[in-house]
Amino acid sequence: MKKKFISLLAIFLVLFLWGESNYLTECAEYRDLDGGIKGGIETKAGFDSLNVSFVGNWPFGDSYAVTNDTTRDVCFLGSGGGVYILDVSDSSNPVKVSEGIHTRGYVYGLYYDNTTERLYIAAEQGGLEIWDVSNLTNPLKLGYYFTPGSARGVYVLGSYAYVADYDYGVQIYRNLLSSGLNEKEIKEIEVKSGNYFIKNDVSKIELYFGASKESELKLSIYDKTGRKVKDLYKGKIGKGYSKLTINKRDYATGEYFIRGKMGETEVNIKILILK
């Protein structure tokens, strides 16, 4: 009986080790010791898995944050990686107005500024995002900042935004959306992570791009049909903030998209030009 048990155990170990060895060999064909892809790139149906970009998503899920606009009788409900805008004028029958706010991380905190009609979003790994919600059916992303930790809460007072950033404690950021930056400040402000924000004036739109190191910037503007209207910029930007100005008189009234890349960061900004 003992010999039979030992024989069965030996067979089991051989099969187990063969399977484990086969698994490790199979993985080794695709990955090196640092986890990178080994060898050439294998494509299937013309798809290159090492050359992809984020183009959009339907991110809704669990809810962790809610805030409201009592003047317009709407509430903003964080849901997964997005925000629902709901008409709550009839509290027994909320009606969805928009699901146009998509973030790059889970929504853990919301702050609504009633005077500017801007929504500040603590979006976990997506950092701090700022949205213009003056048009409830067509919210516009004004800017973002990647915080060093995981943004879980946000409060705005005056010119500063206070972010509860998980194990990095509280992060305090100067709110530049109202004032923009003058040429002296552009050179002096230290940028710790790639970000951008938009300042919208009557006659022009100013885009500020923050780079933590010298980076390549390539931007074009498209109309809502996807047709390229104009190349805006192609070249290097230095460490710190760089400003790009769009004169509204050069464009017809309507909705446009600014798309491109800043270093490794995808840029996809929706703007609205009204005259």
Side-chain angles (χ1 to χ4, degrees), residues 3-17:
K3 288 182 179 180
K4 191 176 289 185
F5 173 77
I6 292 172
S7 298
L8 288 171
L9 182 60
I11 293 170
F12 172 78
L13 287 172
V14 168
L15 289 172
F16 174 79
L17 290 173

Side-chain angles (χ1 to χ4, degrees), residues 1-184:
M1 183 69 181
K2 188 175 181 181
K3 288 182 179 180
K4 191 176 289 185
F5 173 77
I6 292 172
S7 298
L8 288 171
L9 182 60
I11 293 170
F12 172 78
L13 287 172
V14 168
L15 289 172
F16 174 79
L17 290 173
W18 178 84
E20 186 74 11
S21 174
N22 187 53
Y23 168 77
L24 292 172
T25 302
E26 189 176 316
C27 285
E29 292 175 0
Y30 293 97
R31 301 202 169 267
D32 59 27
L33 293 175
D34 293 322
I37 302 297
K38 207 173 187 181
I41 300 170
E42 180 184 355
T43 60
K44 293 184 179 180
F47 179 73
D48 179 359
S49 63
L50 294 183
N51 185 24
V52 298
S53 61
F54 178 84
V55 294
N57 61 336
W58 192 88
F60 300 97
D62 297 340
S63 296
Y64 296 100
V66 65
T67 189
N68 67 326
D69 178 347
T70 55
T71 304
R72 295 185 288 178
D73 275 332
V74 296
C75 85
F76 304 96
L77 175 66
S79 178
V83 176
Y84 285 118
I85 301 176
L86 304 172
D87 180 345
V88 291
S89 53
D90 180 357
S91 58
S92 63
N93 184 33
V95 177
K96 184 177 72 175
V97 177
S98 170
E99 56 180 48
I101 298 178
H102 293 191
T103 61
R104 297 300 293 269
Y106 256 74
V107 176
Y108 272 93
L110 295 170
Y111 180 88
Y112 176 67
D113 185 336
N114 191 61
T115 57
T116 60
E117 296 184 333
R118 288 172 181 162
L119 185 67
Y120 295 78
I121 304 173
E124 198 187 22
Q125 299 301 325
L128 174 65
E129 295 192 8
I130 305 101
W131 288 74
D132 178 354
V133 290
S134 56
N135 183 340
L136 295 172
T137 60
N138 188 27
L140 297 174
K141 187 176 181 180
L142 297 178
Y144 74 93
Y145 194 94
F146 283 132
T147 60
S150 176
R152 300 298 179 94
V154 58
Y155 184 80
V156 177
L157 182 63
S159 299
Y160 295 92
Y162 302 82
V163 178
D165 206 34
Y166 198 53
D167 49 349
Y168 279 80
V170 62
Q171 300 284 313
I172 304 172
Y173 300 101
R174 182 179 165 199
N175 185 359
L176 299 169
L177 286 171
S178 57
S179 61
L181 288 169
N182 60 43
E183 297 302 321
K184 182 180 179 181

